[in-house]
Amino acid sequence: MLSRNNCEIQVDPVTRDHVFFYDSSGLFVVLDGRRYPRADPRHLHRLLTWGVETDPLLLTNTSVPRKPPSPHRHKDETVTYYIAQLMHFGLKPLKTKPAAKKALLAAFDDGHDLKVPGRLGKLENELKTLWNAESEKVRIRFEQKEKVRGKKREKRLVELRRRHEAVLAEFDEENIPLGAVPSRKRNATNDGGIGGKMARVSGSDKKFSALNVQGKYVIDAPYLAEEWPDNASSGLNLTLSASRGTGRHLWGSFKFGVVTGIIRCGAPPETVGETVAFEWRGYEQGEGEMEYGPENTGTITFLADGKICGTMEGGFMTTFTFSGVRIEESRVWVTHVKKWKDQWRGINERSHEAYEAAQRRLWVKDMDYKERPAGSDTTSAGLASDDDEEIWDNAW
């Protein structure tokens, strides 16, 4: 049996008569769509003699039959099972359970053993040889394909690194420090969230607007591609947009292959080279594990031509960098931001506990619990949430 990324690759069973089959588990017959391997003779004999008064195991020293075991403590096999055993031991298949069991029991010798006919033993060896040969062919094809896949993965990774380094080089040319968020006091928010603006390049007079920031970015993250080449070497993206109501926060939805989720930043950048910090919540894509907590953080630094560089840490990942290029004419509708906020508020400890309880089939109050909007998500007057703003029809 071969394995690729912890997933077993099965070699199909082989057969010559479509009655007996062989694979890694051994010889078996298929009846009514179900596999039946050959039973161990001792186990089969116990099944056939369960509750039979003449069985020596049920006799006392005075040869007086004991009371048979309660039928409620024994579950007999199906008639199909016994038909399959008749075939395994070279006996004529019979259609009823009593007749099949009687024929099987009569075939046992005095030592409670049941011999496999030589022709079936020979067939089993032939099928085993045939399956081993087929397994070797599959192994060779598998290794050849893995070699080709490995070359393609390496080629993608080289190109990914090239794009990533090219974006980093542009930041170097502009003397823009990546992820440089100076220490500063956070704005007071009732959820301890990230405060307003972060880093700004001194002397920069290139202004930003919401139009310069919002949109979908194609993302390259070498660390993710190296650690999870089948899941994170392509197709990564990040979509950003400011809050429609107050504009106090930059929100985003990310799909990074092995993890997806929502980011909540401080205020959108106003100048080229500005860095905003963010917190993120999401889901690991293998087991669907919910990821949240104060350690899930990152930064995004912006260039003028739709390029970004960022850092991210938390969850099951070590700190890594990523770069991105905005897709021209990409649109973000206000309904997207509302959806992101709703998803953000549904990823929390209370929801996680409810989910785990549901996995154990336990009922929990507030199964779909969502946090209340943070105070910093409301208007300056504190009277309405961003989610209460009127939905507008046009994209930014």
Side-chain angles (χ1 to χ4, degrees), residues 120-134:
L120 288 180
K122 181 180 179 182
L123 176 62
E124 182 173 0
N125 289 333
E126 290 175 352
L127 291 178
K128 181 179 180 180
T129 301
L130 182 62
W131 186 83
N132 286 337
E134 183 62 28

Side-chain angles (χ1 to χ4, degrees), residues 10-44:
Q10 300 285 348
V11 180
D12 292 337
V14 296
T15 183
R16 284 185 171 170
D17 55 8
H18 295 283
V19 176
F20 289 94
F21 298 81
Y22 191 96
D23 68 1
S24 60
S25 64
L27 189 72
F28 61 92
V29 297
V30 177
L31 296 175
D32 297 337
R34 183 176 176 182
R35 291 184 174 202
Y36 292 94
R38 182 185 295 130
D40 179 79
R42 291 170 297 178
H43 172 71
L44 185 58

Side-chain angles (χ1 to χ4, degrees), residues 39-229:
D40 179 79
R42 291 170 297 178
H43 172 71
L44 185 58
H45 190 270
R46 285 195 295 270
L47 285 174
L48 295 171
T49 57
W50 186 273
V52 178
E53 294 184 355
T54 56
D55 189 337
L57 296 177
L58 296 177
L59 298 178
T60 65
N61 292 334
T62 58
S63 299
V64 177
R66 285 201 207 121
K67 183 178 179 181
S70 169
H72 299 293
R73 296 176 58 188
H74 168 64
K75 182 179 180 181
D76 198 6
E77 295 286 355
T78 64
V79 60
T80 312
Y81 171 87
Y82 289 111
I83 294 174
Q85 299 312 312
L86 286 169
M87 298 169 66
H88 271 298
F89 290 99
L91 302 173
K92 180 182 178 181
L94 300 172
K95 294 183 178 181
T96 64
K97 185 188 289 189
K101 294 177 72 171
K102 183 177 180 181
L104 281 167
L105 187 58
F108 276 87
D109 58 24
D110 293 338
H112 293 175
D113 194 14
L114 188 58
K115 302 296 183 182
V116 176
R119 62 180 179 83
L120 288 180
K122 181 180 179 182
L123 176 62
E124 182 173 0
N125 289 333
E126 290 175 352
L127 291 178
K128 181 179 180 180
T129 301
L130 182 62
W131 186 83
N132 286 337
E134 183 62 28
S135 179
E136 180 64 14
K137 292 178 183 177
V138 172
R139 183 189 67 79
I140 293 173
R141 290 196 299 267
F142 171 79
E143 291 180 350
Q144 290 174 340
K145 290 180 180 179
E146 278 295 286
K147 189 175 181 180
V148 173
R149 275 192 288 262
K151 290 181 178 179
K152 289 182 178 179
R153 282 197 298 265
E154 184 58 31
K155 185 177 180 180
R156 287 197 303 267
L157 189 55
V158 168
E159 177 61 20
L160 185 151
R161 290 196 193 102
R162 186 196 64 77
R163 293 194 304 264
H164 183 67
E165 293 299 327
V167 174
L168 294 183
E170 291 191 39
F171 278 77
D172 288 339
E173 291 174 4
E174 298 287 338
N175 294 318
I176 299 175
L178 302 180
V181 182
S183 175
R184 59 173 290 166
K185 206 169 186 179
R186 288 185 174 184
N187 293 344
T189 62
N190 66 0
D191 66 339
I194 295 173
K197 299 184 184 68
M198 294 302 167
R200 179 177 299 177
V201 178
S202 60
S204 173
D205 57 356
K206 298 178 181 178
K207 299 298 183 180
F208 257 169
S209 69
L211 289 174
N212 298 123
V213 176
Q214 78 91 28
K216 187 174 184 179
Y217 295 77
V218 177
I219 297 297
D220 288 322
Y223 160 75
L224 296 180
E226 291 168 3
E227 292 293 320
W228 297 277

